[in-house]
Amino acid sequence: AAVALLSGAGIDARPVSSPEAAEVSGAVGPAVRATLAGLANQIRTACARMGLDPWEVFGASGTESPPTFDASAAPALFTWGVRQWGASTELLDRAAEINRSVPGYVITRLADALNDAGKAVRGSKVAILGMAHKKDVDDPRESPGFELLNHLLKKGAAVSYNDPHIPSLPRMHHWSHLEPMHSQPLTAEYLAAQDCVLIATDHTAYDYDFIVRHSKLVIDTRNATRAITRGREKIVRV
């Protein structure tokens, strides 16, 4: 178990003595990452209450656990497995609860930013950039983008998306009620027509200077705009 925990923390994995140990070790790595993400996300919201930029705070702290989405199913699988043996997973359970709350927190910050600009979420045009689970992949499974999309639609926003890796959103089991959508061309005209642009996945293919230059308001959940110098007044990092 100690070897598996170290593996999840980034130390080289070692051979194990049984298939059971191998199976558990495969689930421990994501569980450790989910727990670290929970701590980072809790610090994220604390910084916001203090009026601080969490990305600046994490960058200055020298830590390697910036705020992030973590919707992986592996931690849930791990907790289910160990509970069969009567073990406690309360820390991981709390981390999972915090991580599940992040999309709602992002939408609250987006609504506040729109309100500061004299707009309501209802009726506003919002573009989500990146519907993949993580950068530079074409896999939307477990993507927080669906949760963000669902929140925005419920609040009455006119939502569209762009993802160079996902031309059309597949029908997802948990989100089967969502209507089919297609990725929109990321043009200057498209960006300028949006009331808000929400960066959900920080694909390498995105030209963030171009995005910020042509957008009215940018909500950055990935610190993708950290190197942008022009137009920073339009950026809200959450």
Side-chain angles (χ1 to χ4, degrees):
V3 170
L5 181 60
L6 292 175
S7 174
I11 296 177
D12 291 341
R14 304 170 189 171
V16 293
S17 60
S18 67
E20 291 79 8
E23 186 174 356
V24 173
S25 67
V28 164
V32 171
R33 290 191 293 273
T35 304
L36 291 174
L39 173 61
N41 284 324
Q42 196 163 50
I43 294 173
R44 178 213 300 254
T45 56
C47 286
R49 285 187 175 274
M50 293 185 283
L52 302 174
D53 183 337
W55 298 100
E56 180 183 12
V57 170
F58 273 95
S61 72
T63 62
E64 296 182 357
S65 298
T68 183
F69 297 109
D70 197 313
S72 173
L77 178 63
F78 175 76
T79 57
W80 177 86
V82 298
R83 281 173 185 163
Q84 309 310 302
W85 295 88
S88 171
T89 60
E90 58 184 300
L91 179 60
L92 184 55
D93 293 341
R94 178 56 182 148
E97 180 183 342
I98 293 169
N99 294 335
R100 285 194 297 269
S101 73
V102 172
Y105 167 75
V106 168
I107 297 304
T108 297
R109 294 294 305 277
L110 181 150
D112 290 343
L114 280 173
N115 185 65
D116 290 342
K119 299 178 182 294
V121 176
R122 181 171 298 278
S124 289
K125 293 182 178 179
V126 180
I128 299 176
L129 301 190
M131 288 296 291
H133 173 56
K134 59 183 179 179
K135 68 187 298 183
D136 302 338
V137 303
D138 61 358
D139 186 358
R141 291 174 298 176
E142 304 296 340
S143 170
F146 287 95
E147 185 83 29
L148 297 170
L149 174 60
N150 190 56
H151 273 294
L152 288 166
L153 290 174
K154 281 187 174 182
K155 289 183 176 295
V159 190
S160 57
Y161 88 96
N162 169 273
D163 193 310
H165 302 283
I166 304 177
S168 298
L169 292 184
R171 183 73 71 174
M172 307 295 284
H173 175 72
H174 188 64
W175 306 107
S176 58
H177 62 284
L178 296 176
E179 295 295 325
M181 295 180 67
H182 302 283
S183 178
Q184 301 300 304
L186 196 62
T187 63
E189 293 75 19
Y190 171 70
L191 292 169
Q194 308 303 309
D195 295 300
C196 178
V197 172
L198 172 57
I199 301 174
T201 307
D202 52 338
H203 290 312
T204 303
Y206 284 142
D207 181 340
Y208 294 103
D209 182 71
F210 175 87
I211 289 168
V212 172
R213 190 181 335 130
H214 295 288
S215 300
K216 299 183 182 78
L217 172 66
V218 177
I219 307 297
D220 183 0
T221 70
R222 301 287 188 172
N223 200 24
T225 60
R226 57 189 173 277
I228 302 302
T229 56
R230 292 182 298 174
R232 292 214 63 84
E233 71 281 358
K234 297 188 285 184
I235 301 171
V236 177
R237 297 194 296 180
V238 299

